[in-house]
Amino acid sequence: MKHKLAYILDTSSCITKRQLKDYAAGIMSVEECHAMEHHINGCPFCNDALDGMLLQSPDETLAIATGLNGNFIKAHFSLQSPQIHLNSMAPAMSHKGKHKMKPFWLKTSIAAVLIVGAVLLYLQAGKGVSLYPKHFFLHQEVAK
Amino acid sequence: MEPKTAAEIADYKKLNDEELVYRFVHRHENIALDILFERYGHLVFGICLKYASNALAAQEKTESIFIALTQDLKKFNSAGFKLWLYNYVNDQFLNNTENTTTLPDNTGQNDGMSFYHSDVTDAELQLLEESMITLNKTEQDCISLFYMSGMTYAQIAQEKQISASEVKMHIRSGIETIKNNSGALKNVKQ
């Protein structure tokens, strides 16, 4: 019989949420109750938690203990690094009055032609070569 | 990369506390903190109930403690997370930033997640019996009824005509004395 005294040195896992609630509500079997108290004898963490549960009004405490979950942790992390949905932030486009954009290549090619033309004119003027055909000047002299 | 399937989450539940802390701090796996909340959230809530005016305030404090842990877990560098968390929670109420709270030596023995019996030699058992004699009558009775007869606090309270909290107090103080005395006796005999 005295060998049972050695149970003082036994260790066990911490009490679960269900055990904490059942004990506080007084709906635990005698065997489980004894096993839990056995753990409490050597664990200040569980002992203090149980003391706290028994201090407050049981109805409110049990209701809140039941609803305890880690959703607030997820909410905290989502606030810290919010996921930006660019599509949802863009202004909604109406399908009826669709704004037709001019193609980009059109503007680019017009600009390119103008630049090339300007360069050619500049080069021709630099060499002293007329852009007009010779018979054009002949007609002008005859007219004079 | 956060786990998505139930199987992946179940794998996390198999990890010990220290591994979960490591994964949260160094690998930024937020699921690890969820698992730690699952393991200890209700116990932290229970301690908060001791200090808070009502259950709602205790719930808010519990949540604020776990939010603070997202930063303060980086300071964790000891072997036993449970003991560290116990001190941390109490320090939140004592407004003490340094972990100076001390616990009885037996706390560290309960870090395992499974129930097991300690290997006690005949000599150690003899020391425990000798230590029992040093207890007062109520402590002896409460410990005998609890450990040898397998009675609960409530049953002992009924038999001894005292409250269940008094039974618990006597048992806890008795165990503390036994452990201290048996340790001292062991040293003397060596």
Side-chain angles (χ1 to χ4, degrees), chain A residues 1-21 23 28-78 80-81, chain B residues 24 30 33-34 37-56 59 62-64 66-67 70-71 82-83 85-86 89-90 103-104 106-107 109-110 112-118 120 124-125 128-129 132 143 145-155 168 171-172 175 178-179:
Chain A
M1 192 77 170
K2 284 197 172 180
H3 71 277
K4 288 185 177 177
L5 200 59
Y7 293 167
I8 288 173
L9 303 175
D10 286 353
T11 55
S12 56
S13 57
C14 280
I15 56 179
T16 63
K17 189 166 141 184
R18 199 261 315 155
Q19 285 175 322
L20 192 67
K21 284 190 298 171
Y23 190 90
M28 193 176 254
S29 70
V30 174
E31 291 79 14
E32 195 177 10
C33 192
H34 184 262
M36 199 178 126
E37 287 168 350
H38 187 179
H39 173 78
I40 287 167
N41 287 341
C43 180
F45 202 161
C46 292
N47 179 55
D48 284 6
L50 190 65
D51 280 351
M53 285 291 284
L54 298 172
L55 269 177
Q56 303 279 349
S57 74
D59 292 340
E60 192 187 10
T61 305
L62 289 172
I64 291 177
T66 308
L68 270 183
N69 62 55
N71 287 345
F72 71 93
I73 297 174
K74 290 184 185 76
H76 172 74
F77 287 125
S78 64
Q80 267 197 335
S81 53
Chain B
F24 177 75
N30 297 342
L33 190 65
D34 284 341
F37 180 80
E38 214 172 276
R39 280 184 196 167
Y40 297 109
H42 58 290
L43 298 179
V44 173
F45 173 66
I47 292 182
C48 290
L49 280 168
K50 278 180 77 175
Y51 297 99
S53 54
N54 57 55
L56 208 60
Q59 185 192 14
T62 304
E63 292 181 358
S64 73
F66 272 86
I67 296 296
T70 59
Q71 292 301 315
K82 198 174 88 175
L83 174 63
L85 181 63
Y86 178 76
V89 173
N90 279 301
L103 279 177
N106 57 357
T107 315
Q109 294 173 356
N110 299 304
M113 293 302 291
S114 57
F115 186 88
Y116 61 94
H117 290 292
S118 306
V120 181
E124 284 171 325
L125 190 60
L128 286 175
E129 284 177 27
M132 269 286 276
I143 286 178
L145 291 170
F146 187 85
Y147 286 101
M148 294 176 191
S149 307
M151 291 168 78
T152 63
Y153 293 162
Q155 289 169 330
K168 183 164 82 168
I171 292 175
R172 284 176 66 85
I175 290 172
I178 287 174
K179 283 182 177 173

Side-chain angles (χ1 to χ4, degrees), chain B residues 7-170:
Chain B
E8 284 175 326
I9 294 169
D11 285 343
Y12 270 86
K13 290 183 179 177
K14 292 174 191 165
L15 298 173
N16 66 28
D17 299 339
E18 290 74 28
E19 177 67 24
L20 287 169
V21 172
Y22 178 84
R23 283 178 182 240
F24 177 75
V25 174
H26 298 284
R27 291 163 65 172
H28 309 292
E29 295 172 358
N30 297 342
I31 183 78
L33 190 65
D34 284 341
I35 307 288
L36 286 172
F37 180 80
E38 214 172 276
R39 280 184 196 167
Y40 297 109
H42 58 290
L43 298 179
V44 173
F45 173 66
I47 292 182
C48 290
L49 280 168
K50 278 180 77 175
Y51 297 99
S53 54
N54 57 55
L56 208 60
Q59 185 192 14
E60 283 171 8
K61 186 66 185 172
T62 304
E63 292 181 358
S64 73
I65 284 173
F66 272 86
I67 296 296
L69 274 176
T70 59
Q71 292 301 315
D72 292 341
L73 274 179
K74 290 168 191 162
K75 297 174 192 167
F76 171 73
N77 56 4
S78 57
F81 174 74
K82 198 174 88 175
L83 174 63
W84 182 86
L85 181 63
Y86 178 76
N87 286 330
Y88 181 84
V89 173
N90 279 301
D91 287 345
Q92 298 296 309
F93 292 99
L94 300 172
N95 291 326
N96 187 0
T97 51
E98 292 176 14
N99 288 340
T100 51
T101 317
T102 52
L103 279 177
D105 292 340
N106 57 357
T107 315
Q109 294 173 356
N110 299 304
D111 284 337
M113 293 302 291
S114 57
F115 186 88
Y116 61 94
H117 290 292
S118 306
D119 292 327
V120 181
T121 61
D122 289 341
E124 284 171 325
L125 190 60
Q126 182 67 30
L127 287 174
L128 286 175
E129 284 177 27
E130 286 173 24
S131 303
M132 269 286 276
I133 302 164
T134 62
L135 304 180
N136 65 43
K137 179 78 171 62
T138 320
E139 286 174 345
Q140 278 186 30
D141 289 348
C142 289
I143 286 178
S144 296
L145 291 170
F146 187 85
Y147 286 101
M148 294 176 191
S149 307
M151 291 168 78
T152 63
Y153 293 162
Q155 289 169 330
I156 298 168
Q158 205 172 4
E159 180 149 330
K160 300 291 292 176
Q161 298 294 312
I162 51 175
S163 69
S165 58
E166 279 178 295
V167 173
K168 183 164 82 168
M169 190 189 70
H170 287 304

